[in-house]
Amino acid sequence: MESLERNKHLVQRLNIQSFVYKQQLSSTSARDKLISSVMANPTLAILELENNTIGPNGAQALSEALKTNSTLTTLTLFENSIRDNGAQALSEALKTNSTLTTLNLWGNAIGPNGAQALSEALKTNSTLTTLDLFGNSIGDNGAQALSEALKINSTLTTLNLRNNSIGSNGAQAISEALKTNSTLTTLNLGGSSIGDNGAQALSEALKINSTLTTLHLIGNSIGDNGAQALSEALKTNSTLINLNLWGNSIGPNGAQALSEALKTISTLTTLDLRENSIGPNGAQALSEALKINATLTIRTSQVLSEALKTNLSLTTLGLGGNSIGPNGAQALSEALRTNSTVTTLVVVF
């Protein structure tokens, strides 16, 4: 700690390990003093306090420092149990801070009230570009609050709400915001229980939105109906580049619907369909689409051997999560003999 104090004018990035923070600084006052001292550093740009259990009090100390700090651009607070009170404190700082661009709040037990506070801050903050709320508990009410901010905010480009149980109602609220938002480019709603209704709502937004380029919907049980809705949106959307539908109970009908859309679009470059149940018929449909679509990389558990023989743009093929068997391996081998573009092949046995 003394060394840090002596050389803090040279430090631009600081990662404080949990054993230092918890064991060497036993009292709350000592920890708060450290935070204040660190934040007074005139050169510090990145501060990482992962898994330190700073709690609401530590977040409050950080908040006070952020109100006057003019150099910090990235603040990472993974697994720190700051809860709603801590999120509320940080939100107050975001209303006046003009340098922070990235705020990572993974796994902090932040609920709807914390999300509401962050939402109010986003309505006036003009510098934050990335907000990561992975693994909190904001629920549909929290998603509703954030959606109101998205209708106004004009700087946020990346929002991660994975594993927040926002449900179909939360997805509906976010979808409404996407219809007017013109800055968000990456949205992660993985593991959020949005179901096919949530997917349908997002699909309506994608027909209008012209800025979103990456959409993660991992593990949301959207099924064939959700896939069908997304396929209709893809036919008119001209900006989405990456769509992750890993583990969504999509069957052959959903794969068929997506394949029809893929035949007519040229902007989507990556579609992840791993851990679904598209079956041989779904794989065949996607194979036919790949023969026409010259820009797409499909990550799926099925062997698309026939498509590989004619597709000249595919570079990465992931086959994890399924037993392709000796016949599938043989077909893949035959295709690779004539394909000259695949450089990465992932097969998990």
Side-chain angles (χ1 to χ4, degrees):
M1 290 298 142
E2 293 179 2
S3 176
L4 173 61
E5 184 66 28
R6 287 196 306 270
N7 298 290
K8 67 180 183 180
H9 63 287
L10 302 174
V11 179
Q12 294 183 328
R13 179 172 184 167
L14 179 61
N15 184 313
I16 299 179
Q17 300 293 320
S18 60
F19 75 90
V20 174
Y21 190 82
K22 295 178 181 178
Q23 297 178 19
Q24 296 191 24
L25 299 172
S26 57
S27 68
T28 300
S29 61
R31 294 174 181 178
D32 291 350
K33 182 179 179 181
L34 171 64
I35 288 176
S36 299
S37 175
V38 166
M39 291 294 287
N41 182 341
T43 60
L44 188 68
I46 300 173
L47 177 59
E48 298 165 339
L49 285 169
E50 302 173 16
N51 194 29
N52 277 293
T53 318
I54 68 171
N57 289 337
Q60 178 66 51
L62 278 171
S63 174
E64 291 304 315
L66 280 173
K67 291 177 182 178
T68 55
N69 181 280
S70 60
T71 58
L72 199 71
T73 59
T74 299
L75 177 59
T76 298
L77 297 177
F78 296 172
E79 303 287 348
N80 271 288
S81 302
I82 71 169
R83 303 184 182 277
D84 283 347
N85 288 342
Q88 290 165 348
L90 289 171
S91 298
E92 289 304 310
L94 289 177
K95 293 177 182 178
T96 56
N97 181 278
S98 60
T99 55
L100 198 70
T101 60
T102 299
L103 179 59
N104 296 326
L105 297 176
W106 278 33
N108 272 289
I110 297 170
N113 291 337
Q116 176 66 51
L118 289 168
S119 172
E120 292 303 314
L122 288 175
K123 291 177 182 178
T124 56
N125 181 281
S126 61
T127 54
L128 199 70
T129 59
T130 298
L131 176 59
D132 197 331
L133 292 172
F134 177 97
N136 283 285
S137 304
I138 71 168
D140 56 352
N141 288 335
Q144 174 67 48
L146 288 171
S147 71
E148 293 303 313
L150 289 177
K151 295 176 183 178
I152 301 171
N153 181 279
S154 61
T155 54
L156 198 70
T157 60
T158 299
L159 177 61
N160 187 352
L161 297 180
R162 183 173 176 177
N163 290 7
N164 267 282
S165 302
I166 69 171
S168 59
N169 289 337
Q172 176 68 47
I174 295 293
S175 299
E176 289 303 312
L178 287 176
K179 292 178 181 179
T180 56
N181 181 280
S182 60
T183 55
L184 201 68
T185 60
T186 299
L187 175 62
N188 191 337
L189 298 180
S192 292
S193 305
I194 71 170
D196 56 352
N197 288 336
Q200 289 167 357
L202 287 168
S203 299
E204 292 304 311
L206 289 176
K207 294 176 182 178
I208 301 171
N209 182 279
S210 61
T211 54
L212 199 68
T213 60
T214 298
L215 178 60
H216 294 283
L217 297 177
I218 300 171
N220 271 293
S221 301
I222 70 170
D224 285 344
N225 289 338
Q228 173 68 46
L230 287 169
S231 70
E232 291 302 313
L234 289 175
K235 292 176 182 177
T236 57
N237 181 280
S238 60
T239 54
L240 199 66
I241 298 174
N242 304 303
L243 178 59
N244 193 335
L245 298 178
W246 187 97
N248 267 290
S249 304
I250 298 171
N253 291 337
Q256 176 68 47
L258 288 168
S259 69
E260 290 303 313
L262 296 178
K263 292 176 182 178
T264 62
I265 63 177
S266 60
T267 51
L268 196 70
T269 61
T270 301
L271 174 62
D272 196 331
L273 290 172
R274 287 174 291 180
E275 301 297 336
N276 281 288
S277 305
I278 66 174
N281 291 337
Q284 180 61 41
L286 290 169
S287 296
E288 293 301 317
L290 271 179
K291 293 177 183 178
I292 299 172
N293 187 302
T295 59
L296 186 68
T297 294
I298 295 183
R299 295 190 177 97
T300 177
S301 303
Q302 301 294 333
V303 178
L304 307 176
S305 59
E306 289 303 313
L308 287 177
K309 295 177 182 178
T310 55
N311 184 279
L312 299 177
S313 62
L314 190 67
T315 60
T316 302
L317 179 61
L319 301 177
N322 276 254
S323 301
I324 68 173
N327 291 337
Q330 178 63 40
L332 182 61
S333 175
E334 291 298 321
L336 289 174
R337 290 180 183 177
T338 56
N339 180 283
S340 61
T341 59
V342 173
T343 58
T344 302
L345 174 64
V346 180
V347 182
V348 180
F349 293 99

